[in-house]
Amino acid sequence: MPEILGNIFFSSFCLFVSINHVVILPLVLSSSFFFGPCVYSIDAQGQALLSWKNGLNGSTQALTSWTATDPNPCGWFGVRCDSHGEVIEISLKSVDLQGTLPSNLQPLKSLQGLDLSSANISGMIPKEFGDYKELRFVDLSNNSISGEIPVELCGLGNLQSLSVSSNFLEGGILTEMGNLSSLTYLTLFDNQLSGRIPKSIGEMKRLQVFRAGGNTNISGEVPWEIGNCSDLVMPGLAETSVSGNLPSSIGVLKNIQTIAIYTTQLSGSIPDEIGNCTELQKLYLYQNTITGLIPDELGSCGELTVIDLSENLLTGSIPQIFGNLLKLQELQISINQLTGNIPPAITSCMALTQLEIDNNYISGSIPAGIGNLKSLTLFFAWKNRLTGNIPMGLSQCQNIQAVDFSYNNLSGSIPKEIFGLKNLTKLLLLSNDLSGYIPPDIGNVTALYRLRLNRNRLSGTVPSELGKLASQNFLDLSDNRLEGGIPPALSGCGKLEFMDLHSNRLSGPLPDALPRSLEVIVSNNGLTGILNAGMGSLIELTKLNLGRNRLSGRIPAQISSCTQLQLLDLGGNGFFGEIPKEIGQLSSLEISLNLSFNQFSGDIPLQFSGLTKLANLDLSHNKLSGSLNILADLQNLVYLNVSFKSFLASSRTQSSSRSSLRVTWQVTKVFVF
């Protein structure tokens, strides 16, 4: 039975009313008619969009233009129409929609593009998406969409781009996706997909970008059929569980520009056929278990800008032919089992900015022609078997910022010319066989903030020019043969947090002023004099080790200001007098407190009972007396040494023999004799 028309679908005609089959006409064409003026109605496309909008919890401001008073949605925010008024695109990227995906857009028969990325969408992908037959572009990335990818999507024959990355999708990559013969762009990364990559991927002949990384449960081999995707520019399978060899069919992909299959379980060798990928620009195969040699054929890929094969099990040497890669900017082959030398030909790669060959078994010397690499910003060769001198040519790499040659067998002196590198921020040469002195020219490298020259055979003095390095954060000159005093000029290093000078031949007093930002001081030398009250200004200090020196006097009470101290080692000096109660007020002490081999006398301060976090306590070889009961509540102790003293027996004592006592703390080592 006809109903009174609830929606009025006209713009230039007035209302005709049908009641019980009786037609009343004509109604007066007048704005004074009791139904009001003529009402303009939204079309079916707009009704569908409004229905979806009404189910959303957000977007109240962004979608204010979506109203039923318009004849069609073509003027609405995020909606684009063709010349016939047909909606062809909906783009609501980064709009806070707070809802689910639309399943009622069938009236939008010409819809080609749907971008709802980063729109706070949840729920599942409706199977009704398969009804939107004209879709060419779909982006649902960066939402909270769950469930499986509906098989109905695989019937969208016109679909060219599908992005559902960064969601919570489950299930496998559908075999039916091979039906998407028009697809050029497919991104599925950062979901919870599992299973194998279907062989049907080879049926997507037009596919250019395939990214499924970040799905840790995608497993199995990279299908050989991927070589049938002749237009493929980028396969991305990083951070998955794909295994087996990189298929040799990869060499058929003449257009491939980026291979990103890192942090997976790839094994076997890199196929020689990769040399056929003449358009290859970036090769990321790091953090796998790839074995065998680095193929010489890579030298034929003249467009390469990045090679990252680090953290694998590669053997053999660095190919000489890499010298042909004139566009190469980054060569990263760290943490492998490579041998041989650094090929001099590598210095022909004039575009190199990063050279990382550390953690291998590379021997020989650093090429003298390294100075040809004018664009070099980073050179890591640490933990190898390099010999010879640090080449003076390195000083010609004026853009270099970080150098690490640590843990090698380099000898000779540090070329003073290196300290003309104005951009140098990190210089790490520790654990070599370097000799000579530290050039005063070091004060010219004002950008330097990390300097490690420890464990060498350096002699001479600590240059006062180090004080010019206002940005310096970390200084380690330990385990050398340095003499003289600690220069007071170091107070100019206003950002210095770590200073390690231990195991040298330094003498004289500790400077009155030190950088207030210091967190760690380590020293094992022949320092003399007293510990001055200025120590209390180091309020950020976490570790203070001045053990095994010749310091004397009393510990200043101002040490109580070092409220972040976790380790305090003053053992092996000549301190005397009572242990200041202020040490017991340092509740942050948790690693170690060592006051052994001094001349302290009197009782253990009552305040020591508050050191409840302390793990190691050594008060041995002093002249202390009194009771050990004060230490009874230090339940975190794992090491306690109070030997060679005259303590009184306590209620926690089990036995006594002459002046020897045994104590019953729950510690792994206790020395009381």
Side-chain angles (χ1 to χ4, degrees):
M1 185 175 185
E3 301 176 353
I4 296 177
L5 298 180
N7 293 313
I8 304 171
F9 302 102
F10 64 98
S11 59
S12 60
F13 300 98
C14 287
L15 184 65
F16 287 74
V17 181
S18 174
I19 303 176
N20 294 328
H21 298 279
V22 178
V23 178
I24 303 172
L25 70 127
L27 294 178
V28 180
L29 299 176
S30 170
S31 60
S32 62
F33 181 63
F34 66 90
F35 274 104
C38 295
V39 180
Y40 296 87
S41 174
I42 191 71
D43 65 13
Q45 296 181 111
Q47 290 181 51
L49 289 172
L50 286 175
S51 177
W52 175 51
K53 174 190 172 182
N54 291 336
L56 301 173
N57 296 320
S59 72
T60 54
Q61 292 186 345
L63 303 186
T64 51
S65 61
W66 289 31
T67 64
T69 58
D70 295 321
N72 59 55
C74 295
W76 292 357
F77 171 79
V79 177
R80 188 164 68 91
C81 297
D82 62 14
S83 58
H84 303 291
E86 296 292 326
V87 176
I88 59 173
E89 183 180 343
I90 299 171
S91 180
L92 297 174
K93 180 179 181 179
S94 301
V95 176
D96 187 18
L97 298 177
Q98 297 183 29
T100 58
L101 293 168
S103 60
N104 66 328
L105 299 187
Q106 290 82 355
L108 282 66
K109 298 183 183 301
S110 299
L111 185 64
Q112 299 176 16
L114 181 61
D115 187 351
L116 300 177
S117 59
S118 304
N120 200 1
I121 294 288
S122 57
M124 303 173 69
I125 301 175
K127 64 180 181 180
E128 286 81 3
F129 265 49
D131 298 336
Y132 311 154
K133 297 298 184 182
E134 295 302 315
L135 274 177
R136 288 166 169 73
F137 172 89
V138 176
D139 190 347
L140 307 176
S141 59
N142 293 295
N143 282 296
S144 299
I145 301 169
S146 56
E148 298 184 359
I149 300 172
V151 69
E152 286 79 6
L153 275 181
C154 302
L156 298 175
N158 294 315
L159 195 62
Q160 298 173 11
S161 176
L162 175 61
S163 180
V164 292
S165 56
S166 300
N167 280 288
F168 299 100
L169 293 170
E170 300 174 337
I173 301 175
L174 299 170
T175 301
E176 291 82 357
M177 279 192 168
N179 298 332
L180 299 173
S181 56
S182 298
L183 204 65
T184 61
Y185 190 91
L186 176 60
T187 61
L188 310 170
F189 61 87
D190 291 345
N191 278 287
Q192 298 171 5
L193 299 173
S194 58
R196 293 173 173 265
I197 300 168
K199 294 181 179 180
S200 61
I201 193 174
E203 298 172 16
M204 291 188 274
K205 307 293 186 182
R206 299 181 183 178
L207 193 63
Q208 296 178 16
V209 174
F210 173 52
R211 296 182 62 188
N215 293 286
T216 55
N217 290 322
I218 288 180
S219 58
E221 296 184 350
V222 180
W224 189 92
E225 288 77 6
I226 201 170
N228 294 331
C229 303
S230 55
D231 290 337
L232 195 63
V233 172
M234 178 187 180
L237 294 169
E239 298 180 13
T240 64
S241 296
V242 294
S243 56
N245 293 3
L246 186 66
S248 59
S249 62
I250 206 85
V252 181
L253 302 176
K254 303 293 185 180
N255 297 313
I256 201 164
Q257 296 178 10
T258 300
I259 299 175
I261 311 180
Y262 56 87
T263 316
T264 70
Q265 298 177 22
L266 277 185
S267 57
S269 58
I270 301 171
D272 294 344
E273 289 82 356
I274 201 169
N276 298 328
C277 302
T278 53
E279 298 299 316
L280 186 61
Q281 298 175 15
K282 297 179 180 181
L283 177 62
Y284 300 104
L285 295 176
Y286 62 88
Q287 288 185 343
N288 287 292
T289 54
I290 298 172
T291 57
L293 308 178
I294 300 174
D296 285 344
E297 287 76 6
L298 268 178
S300 301
C301 302
E303 298 298 315
L304 272 169
T305 60
V306 177
I307 298 176
D308 193 342
L309 306 176
S310 54
E311 296 186 57
N312 280 288
L313 301 171
L314 295 168
T315 55
S317 58
I318 304 171
Q320 289 273 355
I321 199 170
F322 274 15
N324 293 344
L325 302 176
L326 301 183
K327 296 183 179 180
L328 191 63
Q329 297 173 17
E330 299 178 20
L331 177 58
Q332 299 167 343
I333 49 178
S334 307
I335 314 178
N336 279 286
Q337 299 173 12
L338 299 172
T339 55
N341 61 6
I342 303 173
I346 206 75
T347 62
S348 298
C349 301
M350 307 285 284
L352 260 182
T353 61
Q354 296 184 30
L355 178 57
E356 300 181 43
I357 59 173
D358 54 274
N359 285 270
N360 282 288
Y361 303 106
I362 298 170
S363 57
S365 58
I366 300 169
I370 199 72
N372 294 336
L373 305 180
K374 307 296 185 184
S375 300
L376 199 63
T377 62
L378 183 151
F379 187 6
F380 286 174
W382 59 284
K383 204 173 183 182
N384 277 289
R385 297 174 177 175
L386 296 173
T387 55
N389 297 341
I390 298 173
M392 193 176 300
L394 188 65
S395 63
Q396 298 172 27
C397 303
Q398 290 296 318
N399 291 309
I400 204 159
Q401 298 173 16
V403 174
D404 192 345
F405 296 158
S406 305
Y407 302 102
N408 280 289
N409 297 306
L410 298 173
S411 57
S413 59
I414 303 172
K416 67 178 183 179
E417 289 79 6
I418 287 180
F419 300 116
L421 297 169
K422 300 296 185 182
N423 296 309
L424 190 64
T425 60
K426 297 180 183 179
L427 179 61
L428 288 79
L429 304 174
L430 62 120
S431 294
N432 278 285
D433 193 33
L434 298 172
S435 57
Y437 62 93
I438 303 172
D441 308 71
I442 197 169
N444 298 328
V445 196
T446 53
L448 195 67
Y449 68 84
R450 191 173 181 88
L451 177 64
R452 298 197 66 179
L453 306 178
N454 48 302
R455 277 179 266 171
N456 280 287
R457 293 190 296 115
L458 298 173
S459 56
T461 60
V462 177
S464 60
E465 288 78 5
L466 283 170
K468 297 179 181 179
L469 306 182
S471 300
Q472 188 169 204
N473 172 269
F474 194 107
L475 174 64
D476 191 347
L477 305 179
S478 62
D479 280 303
N480 278 290
R481 301 175 181 180
L482 299 173
E483 300 176 336
I486 300 175
L490 285 178
S491 61
C493 302
K495 297 182 180 179
L496 191 62
E497 295 180 2
F498 184 99
M499 181 173 72
D500 191 347
L501 304 174
H502 83 268
S503 299
N504 277 289
R505 301 169 182 174
L506 299 176
S507 57
L510 200 66
D512 291 340
L514 287 168
R516 294 194 174 190
S517 56
L518 271 175
E519 295 180 8
V520 179
I521 303 176
V522 183
S523 187
N524 172 19
N525 288 279
L527 298 178
T528 57
I530 63 171
L531 196 60
N532 60 65
M535 188 62 62
S537 66
L538 306 179
I539 57 175
E540 297 184 30
L541 201 61
T542 58
K543 297 180 181 68
L544 174 59
N545 185 346
L546 295 174
R548 295 162 298 284
N549 276 287
R550 299 174 186 174
L551 298 171
S552 58
R554 298 176 182 270
I555 299 175
Q558 287 82 356
I559 200 168
S560 62
S561 298
C562 303
T563 55
Q564 298 187 45
L565 265 181
Q566 300 172 21
L567 180 149
L568 176 60
D569 187 347
L570 301 177
N573 281 286
F575 292 111
F576 57 82
E578 294 185 347
I579 297 175
K581 65 181 181 180
E582 286 78 9
I583 291 180
Q585 296 170 355
L586 297 173
S587 59
S588 57
L589 280 172
E590 58 182 36
I591 299 174
S592 178
L593 172 59
N594 185 1
L595 302 176
S596 65
F597 289 92
N598 280 287
Q599 299 180 39
F600 290 116
S601 57
D603 296 348
I604 299 174
L606 291 172
Q607 288 78 6
F608 270 41
S609 62
L611 301 177
T612 55
K613 299 178 183 178
L614 193 60
N616 298 277
L617 176 61
D618 192 344
L619 301 175
S620 64
H621 295 84
N622 279 290
K623 300 176 181 179
L624 300 173
S625 58
S627 172
L628 294 176
N629 280 340
I630 294 163
L631 307 179
D633 294 328
L634 306 189
Q635 297 301 316
N636 285 319
L637 281 178
V638 295
Y639 175 91
L640 172 64
N641 191 345
V642 288
S643 58
F644 294 95
K645 72 301 145 250
S646 300
F647 288 118
L648 299 175
S650 72
S651 60
R652 299 183 71 93
T653 302
Q654 286 184 319
S655 62
S656 175
S657 173
R658 291 184 294 182
S659 62
S660 300
L661 301 175
R662 182 68 62 184
V663 188
T664 61
W665 283 273
Q666 297 298 313
V667 293
T668 56
K669 291 184 178 181
V670 182
F671 300 97
V672 188
F673 48 84

